[in-house]
């Protein structure tokens, strides 16, 4: 009888936890889906205004100054994706003001032509929502990180329409090598709710149509060679962003001067290029998937993004990494004899994987973006890019727990 009582008690405990986290995940995912969808609409509207009125580009210094002022007046300077990751690691606070601040700042960045993505803001918005909801629900220190991860998953899924990638990315990006499996149920619930809300609000998921060749030994060798090149591009991308940020900090101490000087450089670069490198650049990524890309497009995008983020504008680095990977893969893959659109897809996933150190999320991303037909090619690409990118990473608060070279526990931060 005692045995049955213990089993029943254990079953009830697990069921209570399941119901609790499904409800929490659904709540946070719904809120995250609404905010993420509004954020998507805001960025899209800002982009359409910029494209319709080319003179808006010249407002970039004013936009940059507004962003600096916004962060100063809300006391959120220096708070970003790293702060969200540290919240999960060490229980640090994520300021709830970060949610509206990064929302508005990213929209301003896209309005005036800064080169940035959306997902960095999505992680910050989602992390802020999840952390705030956990505080509101009076969660303990062991549950609060999971609530933060829920928010990250929900907003990411709403923005990109990739719920499985959002789930695994949130779990994997914090501590590479160890997944928070306790967060699986809440995060996938939040992701699905965020995705559902975004579809109800008519947000189209990100998808690409690419012709995937059949499995072939020679093609696999070419894919592996392309992955090696993409791994080095991901290092160049990460270090380029960090170096520019550190250099701007060192030589231009005042954030006001920094953002104005950076704006002047970006306006000048925009005038001598064709406008492809302002904003997120999703249309250029689509062209790369169709097999069309300028030879130096990836390098231009890296430069634009490094300056944009380095001088104080806000946004994400993941969509720019998509841009860099897709255009680089399209050009180099075409020269190697790979179908250019297929090579662009491989490059997108490979550079993303190398930059964020998330091979599982990258493999799942390839399925959600391109379908599952070429998963073996994409898996090989992710594995090679992950290993060869070393310990570089976009997020300095990210921890890599196990060596990429041997079965050894190292527990070190990513390097810049």
């Amino acid at each position: 009888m005692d045995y049955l009582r213990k089993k029943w008690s254990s079953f009830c405990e697990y069921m209570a936890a399941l119901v609790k986290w499904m409800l929490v995940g659904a709540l946070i995912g719904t809120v995250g889906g609404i905010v993420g969808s509004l954020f998507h609409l805001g960025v899209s509207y800002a982009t359409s205004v910029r494209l319709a009125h080319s003179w808006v580009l010249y407002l970039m210094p004013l936009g940059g100054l507004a962003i600096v002022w916004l962060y100063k007046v809300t006391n959120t300077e220096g708070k970003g994706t790293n702060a969200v990751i540290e919240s999960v690691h060490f229980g640090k606070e994520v300021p709830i003001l970060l949610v509206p601040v990064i929302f508005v700042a990213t929209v301003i960045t896209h309005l005036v032509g800064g080169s940035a993505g959306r997902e960095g803001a999505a992680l910050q918005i989602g992390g802020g929502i999840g952390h705030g909801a956990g505080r509101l629900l009076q969660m303990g220190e062991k549950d609060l990180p999971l609530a933060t991860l829920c928010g990250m998953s929900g907003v990411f899924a709403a923005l990109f329409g990739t719920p499985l990638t959002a789930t695994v990315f949130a779990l994997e990006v914090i501590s590479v090598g160890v997944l928070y499996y306790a967060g699986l149920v809440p995060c996938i619930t939040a992701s699905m709710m965020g995705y559902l809300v975004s579809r109800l609000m008519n947000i189209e998921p990100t998808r690409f149509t690419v012709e995937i060749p059949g499995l072939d030994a020679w093609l696999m060798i070419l894919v592996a060679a392309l992955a090696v090149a993409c791994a080095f591009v991901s290092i160049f991308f990460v270090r380029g962003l960090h170096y520019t940020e550190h250099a701007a900090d060192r030589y231009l101490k005042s954030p006001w001067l920094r953002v104005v000087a950076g704006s002047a450089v970006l306006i000048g670069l925009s005038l001598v290029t064709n406008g492809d490198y302002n904003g997120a650049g999703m249309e250029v990524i689509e062209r790369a998937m169709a097999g069309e890309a300028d030879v130096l497009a990836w390098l231009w995008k890296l430069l634009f993004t490094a300056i944009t983020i380095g001088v104080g504008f806000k946004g994400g680095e993941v969509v720019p990494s998509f841009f860099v990977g897709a255009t680089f893969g399209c050009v180099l893959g075409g020269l190697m004899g790979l179908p250019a659109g297929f090579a662009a897809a491989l490059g997108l996933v490979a550079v993303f994987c190398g930059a964020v150190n998330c091979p599982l999320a990258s493999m799942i991303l390839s399925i959600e973006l391109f379908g599952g037909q070429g998963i073996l090619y994409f898996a090989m690409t992710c594995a090679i890019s992950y290993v060869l990118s070393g310990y570089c990473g976009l997020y300095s608060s990210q921890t890599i727990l196990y060596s990429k070279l041997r079965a050894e526990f190292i527990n070190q931060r990513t390097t810049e």
Side-chain angles (χ1 to χ4, degrees), residues 186-199:
C187 284
I188 198 167
T189 304
S191 291
M192 293 304 295
M193 288 303 299
Y195 176 63
L196 177 61
V197 169
S198 72
R199 299 298 291 123

Side-chain angles (χ1 to χ4, degrees), residues 227-268:
V228 171
C230 287
F232 288 105
V233 169
S234 74
I235 295 172
F236 190 37
F237 178 76
V238 169
R239 292 201 168 154
L241 264 60
H242 288 314
Y243 175 80
T244 306
E245 186 174 6
H246 294 327
D249 249 351
R250 181 178 178 182
Y251 296 110
L252 297 169
K253 300 293 185 183
S254 167
W256 310 95
L257 177 59
R258 191 159 57 237
V259 79
V260 170
S263 297
V265 173
L266 287 169
I267 291 172

Side-chain angles (χ1 to χ4, degrees), residues 273-304:
T273 54
N274 55 11
D276 279 349
Y277 314 111
N278 301 98
M282 290 299 293
E283 66 284 350
V284 180
I285 297 174
E286 290 173 0
R287 292 207 302 266
M289 297 302 161
E292 302 173 12
D294 293 336
V295 173
L296 295 179
W298 66 277
L299 196 55
W300 277 114
K301 186 62 175 179
L302 194 160
L303 178 62
F304 269 73

Side-chain angles (χ1 to χ4, degrees), residues 341-352:
F342 172 54
L346 292 170
L348 181 154
V349 173
V351 173
F352 168 74

